[in-house]
């Protein structure tokens, strides 16, 4: 409506007035044709062309304002066609239901943290839509503005061309966005060894929420901790905290021990330190008695179960998922263009890149092929994620 109203006004004012409006809006206008004082028909033609260009520039300024309201800066993107495409994608996201948003969010290959707000998911996906079409130099500027590192792309990560560099920078920017939210819900991303460890913590929190109470009790007692008298909500809170301690570097975990006044931190093993922290936080036991020995003395009839390499790594939702065969695992790695020795981090990165590349909405001219490829990529990621979660002793 605004465009139609403004256009009606602009059609009835002079070229000089149009130039002044352009100046007020700081809208650039293509070079104005030189006016010849000779032929009146030629002068009239030039004035009409000038008027067309002025009105076109003003219409573009309105589009720029609309795009800017969605975070789209026309000056940082290749062309207006790209801006229009991004705007359409954002409008599609904003029209989605919560369920549809969550399904779309899966394409990013990130876990959906508990109690994630719809506006946070929208913000992340809007940002990715914009970043993935930015030129490399603009992405580097965006990283610098947000304090995101841009070094180490070559040769450490095997990134050899501009497209791969852009993909890595988009991933780092997205990590920064997620980190802000995860910090707010209690995950100390800045203290963890890497962003991938933060993802692991989020995944464990999701799994903890979905696990039955009996399984939570088993995991808790398996760490040498007494679950008696605890409600399900208390178990969830404590196992969440344990998953954070488990993701800390050993040096950082020892610092946490000293901070909490837990003795014998120097030289202590990870699981022992975690149990000592747990007893300090949740039990009125004298600190010199913290650890497995105290629990075994108080519950001598119970033998603590074997502990996973990372507490929390074995959570399940209750129903046992069918394991893919070795041949299927190899097929899934191939679908993502990865060797069989690829890590969980490699799988996540390949999935994000391929899911964005083959998303049906970005391949309208070959949509049928894109649907088939997209489904194959999604299935490969889901099956390999299951493979890494259930692989004995795996630490992704």
């Amino acid at each position: 409506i605004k465009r139609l109203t403004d256009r009606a006004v602009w059609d009835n004012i002079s070229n000089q007035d149009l130039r002044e409006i352009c100046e007020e809006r700081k809208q650039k206008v293509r070079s104005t044709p030189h006016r010849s004082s000779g032929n009146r028909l030629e002068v009239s033609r030039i004035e009409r062309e000038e008027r067309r260009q002025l009105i076109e520039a003003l219409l573009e300024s309105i589009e720029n304002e609309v795009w800017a309201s969605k975070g789209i800066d026309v000056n940082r993107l290749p062309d207006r066609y790209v801006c229009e495409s991004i705007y359409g994608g954002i409008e599609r996201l904003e029209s989605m239901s919560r369920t549809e948003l969550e399904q779309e969010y899966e394409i990013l290959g990130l876990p959906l943290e508990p109690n994630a707000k719809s506006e946070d998911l929208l913000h992340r996906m809007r940002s990715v839509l914009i970043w993935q079409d930015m030129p490399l130099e603009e992405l580097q500027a965006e990283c610098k503005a947000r304090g995101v590192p841009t070094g180490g792309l070559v040769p450490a990560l095997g990134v050899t061309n501009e497209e791969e560099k852009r993909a890595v920078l988009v991933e780092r920017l997205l990590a920064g966005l997620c980190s802000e939210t995860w910090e707010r819900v209690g995950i100390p991303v800045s203290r963890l060894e890497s962003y991938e460890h933060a993802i692991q913590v989020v995944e464990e929190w999701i799994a903890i929420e979905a696990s039955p109470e009996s399984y939570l009790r088993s995991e808790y007692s398996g760490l040498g901790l007494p679950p008696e008298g605890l409600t399900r909500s208390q178990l969830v809170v404590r196992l969440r905290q344990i998953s954070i301690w488990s993701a800390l570097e050993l040096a950082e975990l020892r610092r946490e021990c000293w901070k909490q006044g837990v003795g014998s931190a120097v030289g202590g093993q990870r699981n022992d330190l975690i149990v000592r922290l747990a007893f300090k936080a949740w039990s009125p036991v004298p600190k010199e008695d913290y650890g497995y020995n105290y629990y075994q003395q108080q519950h001598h009839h119970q033998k603590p179960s074997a502990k996973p390499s990372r507490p929390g790594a074995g959570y399940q939702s209750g129903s046992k998922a069918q394991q893919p065969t070795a041949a299927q695992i190899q097929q899934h790695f191939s679908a993502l263009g990865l060797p069989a020795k690829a890590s969980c981090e490699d799988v996540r990165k390949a999935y994000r890149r391929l899911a964005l590349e083959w998303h049906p909405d970005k391949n309208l001219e070959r949509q049928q092929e894109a649907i088939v490829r997209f489904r194959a990529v999604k299935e490969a990621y889901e099956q390999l994620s299951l493979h890494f979660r259930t692989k004995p002793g795996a630490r992704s």
Side-chain angles (χ1 to χ4, degrees):
I1 294 174
K2 177 174 174 56
R3 291 181 68 176
L4 292 173
T5 303
D6 287 342
R7 179 61 187 266
V9 172
W10 296 336
D11 282 339
N12 290 282
I13 60 177
S14 67
N15 286 13
Q16 180 58 36
D17 290 335
L18 289 173
R19 282 193 293 274
E20 290 176 1
I21 295 173
C22 284
E23 290 175 4
E24 289 173 4
R25 290 173 173 264
K26 298 180 180 179
Q27 182 67 19
K28 295 180 180 179
V29 184
R30 299 184 186 89
S31 57
T32 304
H34 176 69
R35 294 189 181 189
S36 171
S37 57
N39 191 312
R40 291 182 60 184
L41 289 176
E42 179 64 13
V43 170
S44 177
R45 185 192 67 76
I46 291 174
E47 287 179 345
R48 287 197 305 273
E49 176 60 19
E50 179 188 29
R51 186 178 193 82
R52 185 191 67 77
Q53 291 182 8
L54 289 167
I55 290 176
E56 183 178 288
L58 289 171
L59 289 173
E60 285 184 356
S61 74
I62 292 179
E63 276 188 333
N64 293 349
E65 291 170 1
V66 173
W67 292 341
S69 69
K70 305 293 186 184
I72 303 169
D73 186 345
V74 66
N75 297 314
R76 304 186 67 191
L77 291 159
D79 53 52
R80 302 188 70 81
Y81 175 80
V82 169
C83 294
E84 185 66 40
S85 175
I86 294 172
Y87 181 78
I90 292 175
E91 283 201 314
R92 183 179 62 84
L93 289 174
E94 291 176 343
S95 68
M96 288 181 176
S97 66
R98 171 68 186 206
T99 301
E100 290 171 330
L101 266 181
E102 291 180 2
Q103 292 172 347
E104 191 76 9
Y105 187 72
E106 287 181 6
I107 296 172
L108 300 180
L110 293 172
L112 184 65
E113 64 267 25
N115 305 316
K117 297 180 180 179
S118 294
E119 52 264 37
D120 284 333
L121 302 186
L122 270 173
H123 179 50
R124 294 173 195 174
M125 289 188 283
R126 274 199 303 261
S127 298
V128 170
L129 279 177
I130 295 169
W131 292 335
Q132 67 188 11
D133 281 321
M134 274 186 176
L136 179 59
E137 59 272 18
E138 288 295 344
L139 278 176
Q140 290 170 330
E142 183 76 9
C143 287
K144 183 177 180 180
R146 293 174 175 269
V148 174
T150 59
L153 297 184
V154 182
L157 297 178
V159 178
T160 57
N161 60 50
E162 183 170 314
E163 192 62 31
E164 289 175 339
K165 290 178 185 178
R166 290 176 62 253
V168 171
L169 293 181
V170 169
E171 184 173 307
R172 290 182 180 180
L173 285 165
L174 179 58
L177 277 187
C178 293
S179 297
E180 294 170 9
T181 303
W182 294 346
E183 290 273 4
R184 289 201 301 270
V185 299
I187 299 173
V189 179
S190 58
R191 296 179 62 197
L192 300 181
E193 187 175 349
S194 69
Y195 173 64
E196 291 302 322
H197 283 77
I199 290 179
Q200 291 169 0
V201 172
V202 176
E203 289 174 339
E204 287 171 14
W205 281 29
I206 295 168
I208 289 168
E209 288 282 355
S211 295
E213 184 175 339
S214 59
Y215 193 83
L216 298 180
R217 289 187 180 280
S218 173
E219 284 288 292
Y220 193 74
S221 64
L223 296 168
L225 299 169
E228 289 81 3
L230 296 179
T231 64
R232 187 184 190 282
S233 60
Q234 288 174 319
L235 287 167
V236 166
V237 169
R238 295 185 182 192
L239 288 170
R240 278 185 176 186
Q241 181 58 58
I242 288 169
S243 73
I244 291 174
W245 289 331
S246 301
L248 294 175
E249 285 187 283
L250 187 56
E252 183 67 26
L253 184 61
R254 288 172 179 157
R255 279 193 288 270
E256 181 70 14
C257 287
W258 283 113
K259 181 180 176 182
Q260 300 302 327
V262 174
S264 304
V266 176
Q269 296 302 306
R270 175 179 294 276
N271 281 347
D272 183 52
L273 297 180
I274 290 169
V275 172
R276 290 172 182 273
L277 283 168
F279 272 108
K280 173 69 174 179
W282 304 311
S283 176
V285 182
K287 64 181 180 181
E288 61 270 15
D289 290 330
Y290 294 156
Y292 295 112
N293 292 338
Y294 169 78
Y295 182 63
Q296 289 170 345
Q297 290 168 8
Q298 299 299 312
H299 301 267
H300 57 85
H301 59 285
Q302 297 180 6
K303 183 178 180 181
S305 60
K307 295 177 289 297
S309 59
R310 260 169 58 250
Y315 293 111
Q316 58 187 12
S317 60
S319 60
K320 188 174 181 180
Q322 185 176 356
Q323 294 292 324
T325 65
Q328 289 172 327
I329 290 295
Q330 181 60 55
Q331 273 188 329
H332 295 318
F333 276 120
S334 297
L336 296 180
L338 295 172
K341 293 183 179 180
S343 67
C344 186
E345 180 180 353
D346 295 330
V347 169
R348 287 193 185 101
K349 290 180 177 179
Y351 170 68
R352 291 173 204 160
R353 177 177 58 80
L354 292 171
L356 290 170
E357 178 183 345
W358 289 104
H359 194 288
D361 289 346
K362 295 180 70 67
N363 293 274
L364 298 179
E365 294 181 357
R366 47 176 181 170
Q367 196 168 54
Q368 205 57 43
E369 179 190 359
I371 289 172
V372 173
R373 293 290 295 272
F374 180 77
R375 286 175 178 169
V377 167
K378 190 171 186 296
E379 181 185 0
Y381 174 70
E382 290 171 350
Q383 292 300 313
L384 289 174
S385 296
L386 174 63
H387 167 67
F388 280 109
R389 283 199 305 271
T390 57
K391 186 179 180 181
R395 182 182 176 114
S396 53

